[in-house]
Amino acid sequence: MPNKWTGIGNPYTKQEVRDRLKKVLDQNKAIIGAGAGTGISAKFIEKGGADLIIIYNSGRFRMSGHGSTAGMMAYGDANAVAMEIGEFEVLPVVEEVPVICGVHGSDPRRRMWHFLGQVKDMGFSGVNNFPTHSIIDGHFRNVLEETGMGFKKEVAMVDLATRMDMFSVVYVAKPEEAVQMAEAGADAIIAHVGTTVGGSIGVTDATVSMDAALERTQEIVDAVKKANHDTFFLAHGGPINTPSDVRYALDHVDGLHGFVGASSLERMGVEASLTNLTKEFKSLTL
């Protein structure tokens, strides 16, 4: 609940976040989650009406002008970055919306039960599995799995978060991964269909078609419904970028409840608005 003395929101329990999202659906509205890499982004995403704010290390790279995939690389401590953004930038300015922390669940240096306790104490209302190995494939994915740094560590993190009464909204790329997360108690499943298309640092060729993206999203939804009927389903990435794209996805994926946008909301909004506003100033003559 919002703190009546400061106006800044306190963390929500798992059930309180679920109740908030259920209320959105009861109003026949789409659930919108938004990634934020800076305090000012979070502040105005909240003013725009987002239902969840998710912060993780990619947000810092994204808002520094680099591709979000930098968050998957060894360019820093992902867990420390997320906590730093939360403590000093986002949590101090978000008043009422639940803020979710991106947790690198396979980090072998963290005692995860201890780290999640710190996440909860910081004021986060839940967790998200990012960086996530679900979007890594091929030989390198096999190496990660065989050497104890695979997706199952992310599932274990979500299972632990569930037992700690923390809401979880998770990225998956395959139906079988989605089922594992649902069985671990994940509240919301995000069907990740690839790096977001467009803008200055989005992909162009390394993506799937809209039809293929929606087919995979539907497969994920259908698989999880058999494991957990109370799951929220969200779309993310690839060609699903603009509000009209999301409208199309909602119309063509049975059981889809909404969308999580990171680059689609934060980066795209900044790129377009700053470019156009600067052009307006530069059009002035003496």
Side-chain angles (χ1 to χ4, degrees):
M1 295 294 186
N3 187 310
K4 65 181 179 180
W5 303 114
T6 66
I8 302 302
N10 291 328
Y12 295 90
T13 67
K14 179 183 179 78
Q15 190 58 50
E16 285 171 341
V17 180
R18 291 188 59 87
D19 290 343
R20 288 172 64 94
L21 299 185
K22 182 65 166 55
K23 185 176 180 180
V24 173
L25 298 182
D26 289 344
Q27 295 170 349
N28 201 33
K29 295 180 180 179
I31 295 168
I32 301 298
T38 67
I40 195 166
S41 297
K43 187 172 186 176
F44 288 95
I45 284 169
E46 179 175 36
K47 287 186 180 296
D51 302 298
L52 297 171
I53 293 175
I54 309 173
I55 64 175
Y56 43 75
N57 68 327
S58 274
R60 173 159 291 175
F61 289 110
R62 181 167 57 243
M63 299 310 288
S64 297
H66 310 296
S68 296
T69 306
M72 296 293 295
M73 305 300 290
Y75 299 151
D77 184 336
N79 284 320
V81 169
M83 291 289 274
E84 183 179 288
I85 296 172
E87 181 174 13
F88 299 115
E89 297 190 49
V90 173
L91 290 170
V93 300
V94 172
E95 296 184 356
E96 200 265 339
V97 174
V99 180
I100 309 300
C101 183
V103 175
H104 193 186
S106 62
D107 185 343
R109 303 163 303 167
R110 292 305 202 281
R111 294 168 295 157
M112 196 50 62
W113 61 269
H114 180 254
F115 182 65
L116 290 185
Q118 293 177 315
V119 169
K120 191 172 185 178
D121 288 344
M122 183 72 72
F124 289 101
S125 295
V127 298
N128 166 251
N129 61 325
F130 196 91
T132 174
H133 295 170
S134 68
I135 56 177
I136 298 174
D137 56 17
H139 176 71
F140 185 49
R141 173 67 180 272
N142 292 336
V143 170
L144 290 171
E145 298 292 340
E146 289 183 17
T147 54
M149 292 176 281
F151 183 73
K152 64 182 179 181
K153 287 290 187 70
E154 299 174 35
V155 176
M157 181 273 289
V158 169
D159 178 72
L160 184 56
T162 298
R163 288 186 275 136
M164 295 174 68
D165 196 31
M166 300 177 73
F167 179 86
S168 56
V169 49
V170 300
Y171 286 119
V172 301
K174 302 175 182 177
E176 53 268 34
E177 295 169 346
V179 171
Q180 291 177 53
M181 282 295 194
E183 291 176 342
D187 298 283
I189 300 288
I190 310 168
H192 196 308
V193 294
T195 303
T196 302
V197 173
S200 64
I201 49 179
V203 299
T204 53
D205 297 327
T207 188
V208 297
S209 67
M210 179 64 83
D211 287 344
L214 298 187
E215 181 179 355
R216 191 193 311 173
T217 301
Q218 186 69 69
E219 290 172 352
I220 288 171
V221 172
D222 291 344
V224 173
K225 280 184 175 179
K226 298 176 183 178
N228 190 340
H229 288 283
D230 295 326
T231 308
F232 300 99
F233 297 102
L234 308 170
H236 174 81
I240 310 171
N241 182 14
T242 66
S244 60
D245 295 332
V246 177
R247 174 72 273 162
Y248 186 84
L250 290 168
D251 289 341
H252 289 81
V253 177
D254 182 42
L256 187 64
H257 297 128
F259 173 71
V260 169
S263 294
S264 302
L265 276 160
E266 186 177 39
R267 176 171 64 81
M268 299 297 191
V270 170
E271 287 183 3
S273 61
L274 286 183
T275 299
N276 293 333
L277 183 58
T278 304
K279 285 181 177 179
E280 283 188 45
F281 277 112
K282 282 299 295 177
S283 69
L284 299 174
T285 59
L286 300 178

mmCIF file of all heavy atoms in Angstrom, residues 167-219:
data_model
loop_
_atom_site.group_PDB
_atom_site.id
_atom_site.type_symbol
_atom_site.label_atom_id
_atom_site.label_comp_id
_atom_site.label_asym_id
_atom_site.label_seq_id
_atom_site.Cartn_x
_atom_site.Cartn_y
_atom_site.Cartn_z
ATOM 1 N N PHE A 167 5.665 -11.801 -5.744
ATOM 2 C CA PHE A 167 5.087 -11.923 -7.080
ATOM 3 C C PHE A 167 6.207 -12.185 -8.084
ATOM 4 O O PHE A 167 7.330 -11.714 -7.915
ATOM 5 C CB PHE A 167 4.356 -10.623 -7.427
ATOM 6 C CG PHE A 167 3.739 -10.595 -8.790
ATOM 7 C CD1 PHE A 167 2.470 -11.103 -8.992
ATOM 8 C CD2 PHE A 167 4.419 -10.034 -9.860
ATOM 9 C CE1 PHE A 167 1.882 -11.066 -10.253
ATOM 10 C CE2 PHE A 167 3.845 -9.998 -11.125
ATOM 11 C CZ PHE A 167 2.579 -10.511 -11.318
ATOM 12 N N SER A 168 5.910 -12.956 -9.129
ATOM 13 C CA SER A 168 6.920 -13.213 -10.159
ATOM 14 C C SER A 168 6.313 -13.092 -11.547
ATOM 15 O O SER A 168 5.239 -13.620 -11.820
ATOM 16 C CB SER A 168 7.550 -14.596 -9.971
ATOM 17 O OG SER A 168 6.562 -15.614 -9.961
ATOM 18 N N VAL A 169 7.026 -12.376 -12.410
ATOM 19 C CA VAL A 169 6.643 -12.238 -13.815
ATOM 20 C C VAL A 169 7.874 -12.614 -14.625
ATOM 21 O O VAL A 169 8.927 -11.985 -14.487
ATOM 22 C CB VAL A 169 6.136 -10.816 -14.140
ATOM 23 C CG1 VAL A 169 7.087 -9.741 -13.629
ATOM 24 C CG2 VAL A 169 5.869 -10.651 -15.635
ATOM 25 N N VAL A 170 7.779 -13.672 -15.435
ATOM 26 C CA VAL A 170 8.985 -14.308 -15.964
ATOM 27 C C VAL A 170 9.006 -14.390 -17.483
ATOM 28 O O VAL A 170 7.979 -14.543 -18.141
ATOM 29 C CB VAL A 170 9.144 -15.723 -15.373
ATOM 30 C CG1 VAL A 170 9.247 -15.658 -13.861
ATOM 31 C CG2 VAL A 170 7.990 -16.640 -15.784
ATOM 32 N N TYR A 171 10.217 -14.292 -18.012
ATOM 33 C CA TYR A 171 10.453 -14.485 -19.439
ATOM 34 C C TYR A 171 10.643 -15.967 -19.741
ATOM 35 O O TYR A 171 11.366 -16.673 -19.030
ATOM 36 C CB TYR A 171 11.714 -13.752 -19.885
ATOM 37 C CG TYR A 171 11.581 -12.256 -19.989
ATOM 38 C CD1 TYR A 171 12.366 -11.416 -19.202
ATOM 39 C CD2 TYR A 171 10.699 -11.672 -20.893
ATOM 40 C CE1 TYR A 171 12.267 -10.040 -19.304
ATOM 41 C CE2 TYR A 171 10.592 -10.298 -21.001
ATOM 42 C CZ TYR A 171 11.379 -9.492 -20.212
ATOM 43 O OH TYR A 171 11.280 -8.125 -20.310
ATOM 44 N N VAL A 172 10.012 -16.412 -20.828
ATOM 45 C CA VAL A 172 10.255 -17.749 -21.360
ATOM 46 C C VAL A 172 10.250 -17.659 -22.883
ATOM 47 O O VAL A 172 9.644 -16.753 -23.454
ATOM 48 C CB VAL A 172 9.192 -18.774 -20.905
ATOM 49 C CG1 VAL A 172 9.147 -18.879 -19.387
ATOM 50 C CG2 VAL A 172 7.823 -18.419 -21.452
ATOM 51 N N ALA A 173 10.923 -18.598 -23.514
ATOM 52 C CA ALA A 173 10.957 -18.614 -24.976
ATOM 53 C C ALA A 173 10.306 -19.859 -25.559
ATOM 54 O O ALA A 173 10.042 -19.912 -26.757
ATOM 55 C CB ALA A 173 12.401 -18.515 -25.473
ATOM 56 N N LYS A 174 10.031 -20.856 -24.712
ATOM 57 C CA LYS A 174 9.476 -22.127 -25.185
ATOM 58 C C LYS A 174 8.343 -22.580 -24.269
ATOM 59 O O LYS A 174 8.343 -22.263 -23.077
ATOM 60 C CB LYS A 174 10.564 -23.209 -25.199
ATOM 61 C CG LYS A 174 11.769 -22.897 -26.060
ATOM 62 C CD LYS A 174 12.824 -23.980 -25.899
ATOM 63 C CE LYS A 174 14.069 -23.670 -26.712
ATOM 64 N NZ LYS A 174 15.121 -24.698 -26.495
ATOM 65 N N PRO A 175 7.398 -23.347 -24.794
ATOM 66 C CA PRO A 175 6.308 -23.853 -23.961
ATOM 67 C C PRO A 175 6.784 -24.652 -22.758
ATOM 68 O O PRO A 175 6.243 -24.510 -21.660
ATOM 69 C CB PRO A 175 5.504 -24.723 -24.930
ATOM 70 C CG PRO A 175 5.776 -24.143 -26.278
ATOM 71 C CD PRO A 175 7.205 -23.688 -26.222
ATOM 72 N N GLU A 176 7.807 -25.501 -22.943
ATOM 73 C CA GLU A 176 8.262 -26.328 -21.826
ATOM 74 C C GLU A 176 8.874 -25.482 -20.707
ATOM 75 O O GLU A 176 8.753 -25.817 -19.524
ATOM 76 C CB GLU A 176 9.268 -27.388 -22.297
ATOM 77 C CG GLU A 176 10.449 -26.867 -23.072
ATOM 78 C CD GLU A 176 10.236 -26.857 -24.585
ATOM 79 O OE1 GLU A 176 9.089 -26.633 -25.035
ATOM 80 O OE2 GLU A 176 11.226 -27.090 -25.308
ATOM 81 N N GLU A 177 9.519 -24.377 -21.072
ATOM 82 C CA GLU A 177 10.050 -23.471 -20.057
ATOM 83 C C GLU A 177 8.906 -22.791 -19.304
ATOM 84 O O GLU A 177 8.975 -22.597 -18.086
ATOM 85 C CB GLU A 177 10.940 -22.414 -20.708
ATOM 86 C CG GLU A 177 12.195 -22.973 -21.346
ATOM 87 C CD GLU A 177 12.923 -21.965 -22.211
ATOM 88 O OE1 GLU A 177 12.328 -20.906 -22.536
ATOM 89 O OE2 GLU A 177 14.080 -22.227 -22.579
ATOM 90 N N ALA A 178 7.868 -22.435 -20.038
ATOM 91 C CA ALA A 178 6.715 -21.787 -19.422
ATOM 92 C C ALA A 178 6.050 -22.701 -18.407
ATOM 93 O O ALA A 178 5.642 -22.262 -17.321
ATOM 94 C CB ALA A 178 5.716 -21.381 -20.503
ATOM 95 N N VAL A 179 5.941 -23.988 -18.739
ATOM 96 C CA VAL A 179 5.325 -24.954 -17.825
ATOM 97 C C VAL A 179 6.164 -25.090 -16.561
ATOM 98 O O VAL A 179 5.630 -25.129 -15.441
ATOM 99 C CB VAL A 179 5.154 -26.319 -18.522
ATOM 100 C CG1 VAL A 179 4.731 -27.379 -17.517
ATOM 101 C CG2 VAL A 179 4.122 -26.210 -19.646
ATOM 102 N N GLN A 180 7.479 -25.154 -16.719
ATOM 103 C CA GLN A 180 8.360 -25.244 -15.543
ATOM 104 C C GLN A 180 8.149 -24.049 -14.623
ATOM 105 O O GLN A 180 8.084 -24.193 -13.390
ATOM 106 C CB GLN A 180 9.823 -25.295 -15.985
ATOM 107 C CG GLN A 180 10.239 -26.570 -16.686
ATOM 108 C CD GLN A 180 11.675 -26.497 -17.158
ATOM 109 O OE1 GLN A 180 12.586 -26.208 -16.385
ATOM 110 N NE2 GLN A 180 11.898 -26.735 -18.435
ATOM 111 N N MET A 181 8.052 -22.866 -15.208
ATOM 112 C CA MET A 181 7.863 -21.656 -14.406
ATOM 113 C C MET A 181 6.486 -21.648 -13.733
ATOM 114 O O MET A 181 6.355 -21.261 -12.565
ATOM 115 C CB MET A 181 8.038 -20.408 -15.269
ATOM 116 C CG MET A 181 9.490 -20.062 -15.558
ATOM 117 S SD MET A 181 10.367 -19.627 -14.035
ATOM 118 C CE MET A 181 11.854 -18.876 -14.704
ATOM 119 N N ALA A 182 5.478 -22.085 -14.449
ATOM 120 C CA ALA A 182 4.130 -22.122 -13.866
ATOM 121 C C ALA A 182 4.087 -23.081 -12.689
ATOM 122 O O ALA A 182 3.486 -22.790 -11.653
ATOM 123 C CB ALA A 182 3.115 -22.528 -14.933
ATOM 124 N N GLU A 183 4.737 -24.212 -12.836
ATOM 125 C CA GLU A 183 4.757 -25.192 -11.750
ATOM 126 C C GLU A 183 5.549 -24.688 -10.546
ATOM 127 O O GLU A 183 5.317 -25.117 -9.420
ATOM 128 C CB GLU A 183 5.333 -26.514 -12.264
ATOM 129 C CG GLU A 183 4.409 -27.215 -13.268
ATOM 130 C CD GLU A 183 5.021 -28.473 -13.852
ATOM 131 O OE1 GLU A 183 6.269 -28.627 -13.753
ATOM 132 O OE2 GLU A 183 4.282 -29.290 -14.426
ATOM 133 N N ALA A 184 6.479 -23.760 -10.782
ATOM 134 C CA ALA A 184 7.253 -23.162 -9.695
ATOM 135 C C ALA A 184 6.493 -22.028 -9.019
ATOM 136 O O ALA A 184 6.987 -21.458 -8.045
ATOM 137 C CB ALA A 184 8.590 -22.649 -10.218
ATOM 138 N N GLY A 185 5.312 -21.699 -9.565
ATOM 139 C CA GLY A 185 4.488 -20.671 -8.940
ATOM 140 C C GLY A 185 4.530 -19.315 -9.601
ATOM 141 O O GLY A 185 4.033 -18.328 -9.035
ATOM 142 N N ALA A 186 5.104 -19.214 -10.806
ATOM 143 C CA ALA A 186 5.150 -17.925 -11.501
ATOM 144 C C ALA A 186 3.736 -17.389 -11.706
ATOM 145 O O ALA A 186 2.834 -18.117 -12.108
ATOM 146 C CB ALA A 186 5.854 -18.063 -12.845
ATOM 147 N N ASP A 187 3.552 -16.119 -11.418
ATOM 148 C CA ASP A 187 2.231 -15.498 -11.533
ATOM 149 C C ASP A 187 1.929 -15.043 -12.949
ATOM 150 O O ASP A 187 0.783 -15.106 -13.396
ATOM 151 C CB ASP A 187 2.155 -14.287 -10.599
ATOM 152 C CG ASP A 187 2.318 -14.687 -9.148
ATOM 153 O OD1 ASP A 187 1.354 -15.214 -8.575
ATOM 154 O OD2 ASP A 187 3.409 -14.474 -8.586
ATOM 155 N N ALA A 188 2.936 -14.561 -13.647
ATOM 156 C CA ALA A 188 2.746 -14.048 -15.005
ATOM 157 C C ALA A 188 3.852 -14.572 -15.903
ATOM 158 O O ALA A 188 5.029 -14.570 -15.528
ATOM 159 C CB ALA A 188 2.738 -12.524 -15.001
ATOM 160 N N ILE A 189 3.467 -15.028 -17.074
ATOM 161 C CA ILE A 189 4.404 -15.566 -18.057
ATOM 162 C C ILE A 189 4.516 -14.582 -19.209
ATOM 163 O O ILE A 189 3.506 -14.181 -19.799
ATOM 164 C CB ILE A 189 3.923 -16.925 -18.595
ATOM 165 C CG1 ILE A 189 3.778 -17.952 -17.462
ATOM 166 C CG2 ILE A 189 4.855 -17.426 -19.699
ATOM 167 C CD1 ILE A 189 5.063 -18.445 -16.884
ATOM 168 N N ILE A 190 5.754 -14.199 -19.527
ATOM 169 C CA ILE A 190 6.004 -13.332 -20.682
ATOM 170 C C ILE A 190 6.575 -14.185 -21.807
ATOM 171 O O ILE A 190 7.653 -14.769 -21.658
ATOM 172 C CB ILE A 190 7.005 -12.215 -20.355
ATOM 173 C CG1 ILE A 190 6.629 -11.478 -19.071
ATOM 174 C CG2 ILE A 190 7.112 -11.234 -21.524
ATOM 175 C CD1 ILE A 190 7.731 -10.559 -18.549
ATOM 176 N N ALA A 191 5.864 -14.245 -22.918
ATOM 177 C CA ALA A 191 6.363 -14.982 -24.079
ATOM 178 C C ALA A 191 7.366 -14.099 -24.815
ATOM 179 O O ALA A 191 6.994 -13.150 -25.508
ATOM 180 C CB ALA A 191 5.202 -15.356 -24.997
ATOM 181 N N HIS A 192 8.644 -14.387 -24.631
ATOM 182 C CA HIS A 192 9.716 -13.597 -25.239
ATOM 183 C C HIS A 192 10.000 -14.158 -26.631
ATOM 184 O O HIS A 192 10.476 -15.274 -26.770
ATOM 185 C CB HIS A 192 10.971 -13.681 -24.359
ATOM 186 C CG HIS A 192 12.011 -12.644 -24.652
ATOM 187 N ND1 HIS A 192 12.505 -12.417 -25.914
ATOM 188 C CD2 HIS A 192 12.650 -11.763 -23.829
ATOM 189 C CE1 HIS A 192 13.413 -11.450 -25.868
ATOM 190 N NE2 HIS A 192 13.506 -11.038 -24.606
ATOM 191 N N VAL A 193 9.729 -13.354 -27.669
ATOM 192 C CA VAL A 193 9.885 -13.850 -29.040
ATOM 193 C C VAL A 193 11.060 -13.187 -29.768
ATOM 194 O O VAL A 193 11.132 -13.224 -30.988
ATOM 195 C CB VAL A 193 8.579 -13.669 -29.846
ATOM 196 C CG1 VAL A 193 7.481 -14.543 -29.285
ATOM 197 C CG2 VAL A 193 8.140 -12.208 -29.890
ATOM 198 N N GLY A 194 11.977 -12.587 -29.010
ATOM 199 C CA GLY A 194 13.179 -12.039 -29.636
ATOM 200 C C GLY A 194 13.403 -10.572 -29.326
ATOM 201 O O GLY A 194 12.547 -9.890 -28.765
ATOM 202 N N THR A 195 14.575 -10.088 -29.715
ATOM 203 C CA THR A 195 14.935 -8.690 -29.500
ATOM 204 C C THR A 195 13.983 -7.771 -30.266
ATOM 205 O O THR A 195 13.604 -8.056 -31.404
ATOM 206 C CB THR A 195 16.384 -8.435 -29.969
ATOM 207 O OG1 THR A 195 17.248 -9.332 -29.271
ATOM 208 C CG2 THR A 195 16.811 -7.011 -29.696
ATOM 209 N N THR A 196 13.613 -6.680 -29.634
ATOM 210 C CA THR A 196 12.638 -5.756 -30.225
ATOM 211 C C THR A 196 13.146 -5.162 -31.530
ATOM 212 O O THR A 196 14.301 -4.747 -31.648
ATOM 213 C CB THR A 196 12.324 -4.621 -29.235
ATOM 214 O OG1 THR A 196 11.818 -5.196 -28.030
ATOM 215 C CG2 THR A 196 11.295 -3.661 -29.811
ATOM 216 N N VAL A 197 12.265 -5.105 -32.488
ATOM 217 C CA VAL A 197 12.571 -4.549 -33.809
ATOM 218 C C VAL A 197 12.499 -3.028 -33.764
ATOM 219 O O VAL A 197 11.676 -2.454 -33.058
ATOM 220 C CB VAL A 197 11.556 -5.070 -34.844
ATOM 221 C CG1 VAL A 197 11.747 -4.381 -36.185
ATOM 222 C CG2 VAL A 197 11.674 -6.573 -34.993
ATOM 223 N N GLY A 198 13.386 -2.373 -34.520
ATOM 224 C CA GLY A 198 13.222 -0.949 -34.766
ATOM 225 C C GLY A 198 14.045 -0.031 -33.885
ATOM 226 O O GLY A 198 14.726 -0.456 -32.955
ATOM 227 N N GLY A 199 13.962 1.263 -34.219
ATOM 228 C CA GLY A 199 14.717 2.274 -33.504
ATOM 229 C C GLY A 199 16.179 2.253 -33.893
ATOM 230 O O GLY A 199 16.598 1.569 -34.832
ATOM 231 N N SER A 200 16.980 3.004 -33.138
ATOM 232 C CA SER A 200 18.392 3.154 -33.500
ATOM 233 C C SER A 200 19.230 1.931 -33.186
ATOM 234 O O SER A 200 20.269 1.703 -33.816
ATOM 235 C CB SER A 200 18.974 4.366 -32.756
ATOM 236 O OG SER A 200 18.946 4.144 -31.348
ATOM 237 N N ILE A 201 18.814 1.130 -32.193
ATOM 238 C CA ILE A 201 19.632 -0.021 -31.790
ATOM 239 C C ILE A 201 18.812 -1.310 -31.734
ATOM 240 O O ILE A 201 19.224 -2.285 -31.125
ATOM 241 C CB ILE A 201 20.322 0.232 -30.431
ATOM 242 C CG1 ILE A 201 19.330 0.753 -29.385
ATOM 243 C CG2 ILE A 201 21.482 1.192 -30.586
ATOM 244 C CD1 ILE A 201 19.933 0.998 -28.022
ATOM 245 N N GLY A 202 17.637 -1.318 -32.378
ATOM 246 C CA GLY A 202 16.848 -2.540 -32.466
ATOM 247 C C GLY A 202 17.331 -3.394 -33.617
ATOM 248 O O GLY A 202 18.121 -2.961 -34.453
ATOM 249 N N VAL A 203 16.862 -4.632 -33.667
ATOM 250 C CA VAL A 203 17.282 -5.532 -34.741
ATOM 251 C C VAL A 203 16.416 -5.317 -35.982
ATOM 252 O O VAL A 203 15.323 -4.751 -35.921
ATOM 253 C CB VAL A 203 17.201 -7.005 -34.300
ATOM 254 C CG1 VAL A 203 18.105 -7.257 -33.117
ATOM 255 C CG2 VAL A 203 15.760 -7.395 -33.954
ATOM 256 N N THR A 204 16.920 -5.780 -37.117
ATOM 257 C CA THR A 204 16.151 -5.745 -38.356
ATOM 258 C C THR A 204 16.007 -7.147 -38.946
ATOM 259 O O THR A 204 14.910 -7.589 -39.248
ATOM 260 C CB THR A 204 16.825 -4.821 -39.394
ATOM 261 O OG1 THR A 204 18.211 -5.222 -39.555
ATOM 262 C CG2 THR A 204 16.776 -3.369 -38.936
ATOM 263 N N ASP A 205 17.114 -7.849 -39.071
ATOM 264 C CA ASP A 205 17.079 -9.172 -39.689
ATOM 265 C C ASP A 205 16.950 -10.305 -38.667
ATOM 266 O O ASP A 205 16.389 -11.359 -38.971
ATOM 267 C CB ASP A 205 18.351 -9.407 -40.527
ATOM 268 C CG ASP A 205 18.457 -8.423 -41.683
ATOM 269 O OD1 ASP A 205 17.397 -8.040 -42.222
ATOM 270 O OD2 ASP A 205 19.579 -8.038 -42.038
ATOM 271 N N ALA A 206 17.483 -10.095 -37.458
ATOM 272 C CA ALA A 206 17.532 -11.174 -36.460
ATOM 273 C C ALA A 206 16.231 -11.259 -35.675
ATOM 274 O O ALA A 206 16.206 -11.125 -34.461
ATOM 275 C CB ALA A 206 18.710 -10.951 -35.515
ATOM 276 N N THR A 207 15.146 -11.499 -36.380
ATOM 277 C CA THR A 207 13.858 -11.579 -35.697
ATOM 278 C C THR A 207 12.931 -12.536 -36.429
ATOM 279 O O THR A 207 13.238 -13.007 -37.529
ATOM 280 C CB THR A 207 13.205 -10.184 -35.595
ATOM 281 O OG1 THR A 207 12.056 -10.267 -34.758
ATOM 282 C CG2 THR A 207 12.806 -9.661 -36.966
ATOM 283 N N VAL A 208 11.796 -12.807 -35.836
ATOM 284 C CA VAL A 208 10.805 -13.690 -36.436
ATOM 285 C C VAL A 208 9.686 -12.840 -37.022
ATOM 286 O O VAL A 208 9.539 -11.663 -36.694
ATOM 287 C CB VAL A 208 10.225 -14.662 -35.383
ATOM 288 C CG1 VAL A 208 11.312 -15.562 -34.837
ATOM 289 C CG2 VAL A 208 9.559 -13.895 -34.245
ATOM 290 N N SER A 209 8.895 -13.453 -37.882
ATOM 291 C CA SER A 209 7.747 -12.746 -38.452
ATOM 292 C C SER A 209 6.661 -12.606 -37.399
ATOM 293 O O SER A 209 6.671 -13.295 -36.378
ATOM 294 C CB SER A 209 7.200 -13.526 -39.651
ATOM 295 O OG SER A 209 6.636 -14.758 -39.207
ATOM 296 N N MET A 210 5.717 -11.721 -37.661
ATOM 297 C CA MET A 210 4.615 -11.549 -36.730
ATOM 298 C C MET A 210 3.824 -12.845 -36.582
ATOM 299 O O MET A 210 3.465 -13.245 -35.456
ATOM 300 C CB MET A 210 3.695 -10.420 -37.189
ATOM 301 C CG MET A 210 2.485 -10.185 -36.281
ATOM 302 S SD MET A 210 2.928 -9.652 -34.608
ATOM 303 C CE MET A 210 3.163 -7.900 -34.880
ATOM 304 N N ASP A 211 3.575 -13.527 -37.666
ATOM 305 C CA ASP A 211 2.816 -14.782 -37.595
ATOM 306 C C ASP A 211 3.537 -15.819 -36.738
ATOM 307 O O ASP A 211 2.918 -16.502 -35.916
ATOM 308 C CB ASP A 211 2.588 -15.343 -39.003
ATOM 309 C CG ASP A 211 1.550 -14.548 -39.784
ATOM 310 O OD1 ASP A 211 0.794 -13.772 -39.150
ATOM 311 O OD2 ASP A 211 1.484 -14.696 -41.018
ATOM 312 N N ALA A 212 4.850 -15.938 -36.935
ATOM 313 C CA ALA A 212 5.628 -16.906 -36.164
ATOM 314 C C ALA A 212 5.673 -16.509 -34.692
ATOM 315 O O ALA A 212 5.600 -17.361 -33.798
ATOM 316 C CB ALA A 212 7.042 -17.011 -36.727
ATOM 317 N N ALA A 213 5.780 -15.199 -34.425
ATOM 318 C CA ALA A 213 5.822 -14.719 -33.042
ATOM 319 C C ALA A 213 4.516 -15.030 -32.319
ATOM 320 O O ALA A 213 4.518 -15.479 -31.171
ATOM 321 C CB ALA A 213 6.086 -13.213 -33.028
ATOM 322 N N LEU A 214 3.404 -14.810 -32.992
ATOM 323 C CA LEU A 214 2.113 -15.048 -32.363
ATOM 324 C C LEU A 214 1.831 -16.544 -32.233
ATOM 325 O O LEU A 214 1.192 -16.977 -31.263
ATOM 326 C CB LEU A 214 1.004 -14.365 -33.158
ATOM 327 C CG LEU A 214 1.100 -12.838 -33.252
ATOM 328 C CD1 LEU A 214 -0.135 -12.253 -33.916
ATOM 329 C CD2 LEU A 214 1.327 -12.207 -31.886
ATOM 330 N N GLU A 215 2.318 -17.333 -33.160
ATOM 331 C CA GLU A 215 2.155 -18.783 -33.059
ATOM 332 C C GLU A 215 2.902 -19.315 -31.831
ATOM 333 O O GLU A 215 2.373 -20.133 -31.078
ATOM 334 C CB GLU A 215 2.686 -19.460 -34.330
ATOM 335 C CG GLU A 215 2.524 -20.971 -34.322
ATOM 336 C CD GLU A 215 3.033 -21.633 -35.595
ATOM 337 O OE1 GLU A 215 3.440 -20.914 -36.535
ATOM 338 O OE2 GLU A 215 3.042 -22.882 -35.643
ATOM 339 N N ARG A 216 4.132 -18.821 -31.620
ATOM 340 C CA ARG A 216 4.894 -19.264 -30.461
ATOM 341 C C ARG A 216 4.244 -18.787 -29.161
ATOM 342 O O ARG A 216 4.171 -19.523 -28.176
ATOM 343 C CB ARG A 216 6.325 -18.751 -30.522
ATOM 344 C CG ARG A 216 7.226 -19.418 -29.476
ATOM 345 C CD ARG A 216 8.549 -18.736 -29.297
ATOM 346 N NE ARG A 216 9.236 -18.463 -30.550
ATOM 347 C CZ ARG A 216 10.363 -17.743 -30.630
ATOM 348 N NH1 ARG A 216 10.890 -17.239 -29.526
ATOM 349 N NH2 ARG A 216 10.933 -17.526 -31.788
ATOM 350 N N THR A 217 3.735 -17.565 -29.183
ATOM 351 C CA THR A 217 3.051 -17.040 -27.997
ATOM 352 C C THR A 217 1.833 -17.888 -27.654
ATOM 353 O O THR A 217 1.592 -18.217 -26.487
ATOM 354 C CB THR A 217 2.629 -15.576 -28.227
ATOM 355 O OG1 THR A 217 3.798 -14.789 -28.522
ATOM 356 C CG2 THR A 217 1.937 -15.005 -27.002
ATOM 357 N N GLN A 218 1.062 -18.277 -28.666
ATOM 358 C CA GLN A 218 -0.112 -19.110 -28.435
ATOM 359 C C GLN A 218 0.270 -20.473 -27.880
ATOM 360 O O GLN A 218 -0.397 -20.996 -26.978
ATOM 361 C CB GLN A 218 -0.899 -19.279 -29.743
ATOM 362 C CG GLN A 218 -2.227 -20.003 -29.576
ATOM 363 C CD GLN A 218 -3.239 -19.173 -28.805
ATOM 364 O OE1 GLN A 218 -3.730 -18.169 -29.294
ATOM 365 N NE2 GLN A 218 -3.564 -19.590 -27.585
ATOM 366 N N GLU A 219 1.362 -21.034 -28.380
ATOM 367 C CA GLU A 219 1.820 -22.332 -27.881
ATOM 368 C C GLU A 219 2.188 -22.242 -26.404
ATOM 369 O O GLU A 219 1.895 -23.164 -25.615
ATOM 370 C CB GLU A 219 3.031 -22.803 -28.691
ATOM 371 C CG GLU A 219 2.706 -23.196 -30.128
ATOM 372 C CD GLU A 219 3.942 -23.479 -30.960
ATOM 373 O OE1 GLU A 219 5.067 -23.222 -30.456
ATOM 374 O OE2 GLU A 219 3.808 -23.939 -32.109
#
